[in-house]
Amino acid sequence: MNPILKFNLSEFTMENFQSSLAERFMRYVAIDTTADPNSETQPSSMKQKDLSKILVQELLEMGVKDAELDEHGYVYATIPATGNNTAPCICFCAHVDTAPDCSGTNVKPILHQNWQGNDIVLPDDNQVVISTKNHPYLLQRIGDDIITASGLTLLGADDKAGVAIIMDLAKYLMANPQIERGKVSILFTPDEEIGRGVAKIDMQKLGANFGYTLDGGDRGHLEGESFSADGCTIVFNGISAHPGYAKGKMVNAQKVAAYFMTLLPSDAWCPEQTEGYEGFVHPVHMEGGLEVAKVQFIVRDFETAKLAAYEAKLGTLAQEAIAKFCGATFTLSVQEQYRNMREILDLQPHVMAFAKEAYVLSGLNPEIKNIRGGTDGSRLSFMGLPCPNLFTGEMGIHSKQEYVSVQDMEKAVEVCVNILKVSLNYEV
Ligand SMILES: [Zn+2]
């Protein structure tokens, strides 16, 4: 990509734009879109399409002609480039589903206008209190309009804040056709919360050069790095025998697995003892009987090469365990889950650079953060769409204490407009 200055940056302005973010966001969160991890269908719950249908309708009403909802629950839409613009096509992506960990049925959003720092006691359960003590980030948001749920449900700012931001961006762009820009691709996914957000994406239809998910928290945070992730399954095989006549014959697989578990360090190499850039192995499920016992792990690190070293170490510990039980055997298998998006973003540094420059143009000091987990963007990056994560203001997610600042969402719209602005200086 050649940097070619074609455009005077100062021509862009967000002034005179009537944002409808608060109203839009509150309408979206009232629609139940909880994902269902126990369902095999795509999307996992059909009610996610209730919101997606509304999004398509609203995009069509704005004049976005090709907005469509496909059978798998994805919303695709494009806003054409102005003139003969050769700027890259940028995708903005958010997920419509909410986490199954907390109820998303009958969400009643409450707008606390010009909030002054007082404890927010939620009316439907006064045990649920959102305060600056529990949520120090709120100290920076005094005077903002804060939206919460009512005490019985999550709010769904994760990720309807992202959805509302992208919809407001679309409205802004459609209302301002005089603003020069490249093609914009919009993508709303289902089932991000259960790890199936990108399973059936049509990358051809998306047709974008790179993208940004809108699914981050604090204003100013920019996430360009995620864990690399594997699953690892260790199966221990014992030897069964009649318990009355088992002497010298029986090997109990459960006991082998239990002994193996005691070999895992408790003061390191686990989620409860690691932070920052430290990786871990984490047993998430264990089951078994006399003959067979199985332990499932998730394996995480920011450096992909370390995953194999961790898996080898698990194998060494399993070997040590069976050595204690004559006749026991084990198998170890690894399932790749996702990879650190930075491996791709480092190859296309303009993607992060555009975002950083857009933050600065929006008056923000970009803080580059890593995600101790994965996003839709982790997988999208490896599917050909480099895709860091922008802030939305969603906070206290997956809980009844979830909240979002309207001004944070408005700031995120401004950042997206500025990304389009910055990208105009480049050609694909
Ligand atoms: Zn999310």
Side-chain angles (χ1 to χ4, degrees):
M1 199 173 274
N2 303 315
I4 302 169
L5 191 60
K6 299 196 304 187
F7 194 73
N8 179 1
L9 295 183
S10 62
E11 286 175 32
F12 267 96
T13 170
M14 290 294 286
E15 273 170 40
N16 308 321
F17 175 58
Q18 278 299 315
S19 168
S20 49
L21 263 170
E23 176 272 333
R24 183 186 294 287
F25 173 80
M26 289 167 76
R27 268 192 302 113
Y28 296 165
V29 297
I31 300 163
D32 183 354
T33 57
T34 312
D36 178 2
N38 300 316
S39 155
E40 300 283 305
T41 62
Q42 171 83 26
S44 67
S45 56
M46 290 305 148
K47 59 190 176 183
Q48 294 179 57
K49 286 187 174 178
D50 295 346
L51 173 56
S52 303
K53 280 178 200 157
I54 290 170
L55 298 176
V56 168
Q57 190 55 39
E58 292 184 2
L59 285 164
L60 291 171
E61 283 165 13
M62 287 177 202
V64 181
K65 294 200 184 78
D66 66 352
E68 65 162 307
L69 169 64
D70 80 359
E71 58 183 310
H72 307 299
Y74 294 93
V75 174
Y76 299 90
T78 49
I79 299 176
T82 52
N84 294 324
N85 217 299
T86 53
C89 174
I90 299 179
C91 173
F92 293 100
C93 170
H95 63 92
V96 298
D97 62 309
T98 62
D101 334 2
C102 184
S103 171
T105 304
N106 291 326
V107 174
K108 286 192 272 170
I110 302 168
L111 176 66
H112 309 263
Q113 255 173 331
N114 188 19
W115 174 73
Q116 288 303 309
N118 48 299
D119 288 2
I120 301 173
V121 181
L122 298 185
D124 289 343
D125 180 352
N126 59 20
Q127 300 297 305
V128 185
V129 180
I130 301 174
S131 67
T132 54
K133 200 164 157 241
N134 302 338
H135 301 277
Y137 176 72
L138 274 172
L139 287 167
Q140 303 169 41
R141 301 273 66 89
I142 291 171
D144 279 10
D145 303 322
I146 303 294
I147 302 175
T148 68
S150 65
L152 300 178
T153 65
L154 52 63
L155 174 62
D158 175 11
D159 184 26
K160 287 164 187 168
V163 173
I165 288 163
I166 294 170
M167 291 297 285
D168 222 46
L169 171 70
K171 186 181 160 204
Y172 175 75
L173 295 176
M174 294 307 289
N176 290 279
Q178 79 285 3
I179 294 177
E180 200 188 343
R181 59 167 179 264
K183 190 167 115 183
V184 176
S185 167
I186 291 171
L187 173 66
F188 296 121
T189 60
D191 290 331
E192 190 267 0
E193 296 290 0
I194 55 170
R196 297 186 217 156
V198 302
K200 306 252 171 165
I201 289 184
D202 182 341
M203 298 302 286
Q204 212 72 23
K205 193 180 281 183
L206 209 55
N209 297 98
F210 54 91
Y212 300 91
T213 49
L214 281 126
D215 198 14
D218 306 37
R219 179 191 293 218
H221 283 193
L222 169 59
E223 294 167 333
E225 197 164 3
S226 65
F227 270 146
S228 280
D230 280 349
C232 181
T233 306
I234 300 178
V235 177
F236 292 100
N237 300 296
I239 298 168
S240 76
H242 185 293
Y245 308 94
K247 186 168 182 181
K249 295 177 193 155
M250 179 190 282
V251 180
N252 191 325
Q254 295 167 105
K255 292 185 181 177
V256 186
Y259 179 72
F260 163 77
M261 293 295 275
T262 67
L263 300 177
L264 293 169
S266 57
D267 57 349
W269 211 38
C270 52
E272 58 271 36
Q273 297 287 347
T274 47
E275 61 182 354
Y277 274 97
E278 297 168 314
F280 58 75
V281 301
H282 174 42
V284 289
H285 184 80
M286 188 172 172
E287 64 182 38
L290 170 57
E291 274 195 308
V292 180
K294 182 165 88 172
V295 189
Q296 283 173 304
F297 287 88
I298 60 171
V299 182
R300 300 287 187 265
D301 202 275
F302 288 94
E303 288 178 47
T304 302
K306 282 193 181 167
L307 299 181
Y310 291 174
E311 287 142 16
K313 187 169 163 189
L314 285 175
T316 305
L317 296 179
Q319 191 65 46
E320 193 179 327
I322 62 165
K324 273 267 194 193
F325 298 84
C326 185
T329 60
F330 79 94
T331 59
L332 182 153
S333 60
V334 172
Q335 306 84 40
E336 180 175 323
Q337 292 178 333
Y338 56 86
R339 291 292 177 255
N340 186 348
M341 62 170 91
R342 185 177 173 172
E343 293 172 16
I344 299 298
L345 294 175
D346 278 352
L347 301 174
Q348 303 201 39
H350 59 278
V351 180
M352 284 293 279
F354 287 170
K356 279 185 221 168
E357 201 177 333
Y359 276 45
V360 172
L361 280 174
S362 309
L364 301 171
N365 179 25
E367 288 180 64
I368 311 304
K369 296 283 176 184
N370 62 32
I371 311 167
R372 287 181 63 80
T375 64
D376 272 353
S378 310
R379 285 197 184 83
L380 282 169
S381 292
F382 285 86
M383 289 162 72
L385 190 81
C387 200
N389 191 32
L390 309 178
F391 71 90
T392 66
E394 64 191 48
M395 301 299 288
I397 59 174
H398 300 198
S399 82
K400 293 173 186 171
Q401 300 205 5
E402 192 177 8
Y403 67 89
V404 69
S405 148
V406 175
Q407 283 73 16
D408 278 355
M409 290 194 285
E410 286 173 353
K411 199 45 130 175
V413 176
E414 189 181 337
V415 164
C416 294
V417 172
N418 280 325
I419 285 175
L420 295 173
K421 179 198 304 186
V422 169
S423 73
L424 273 179
N425 299 325
Y426 296 80
E427 284 192 349
V428 183

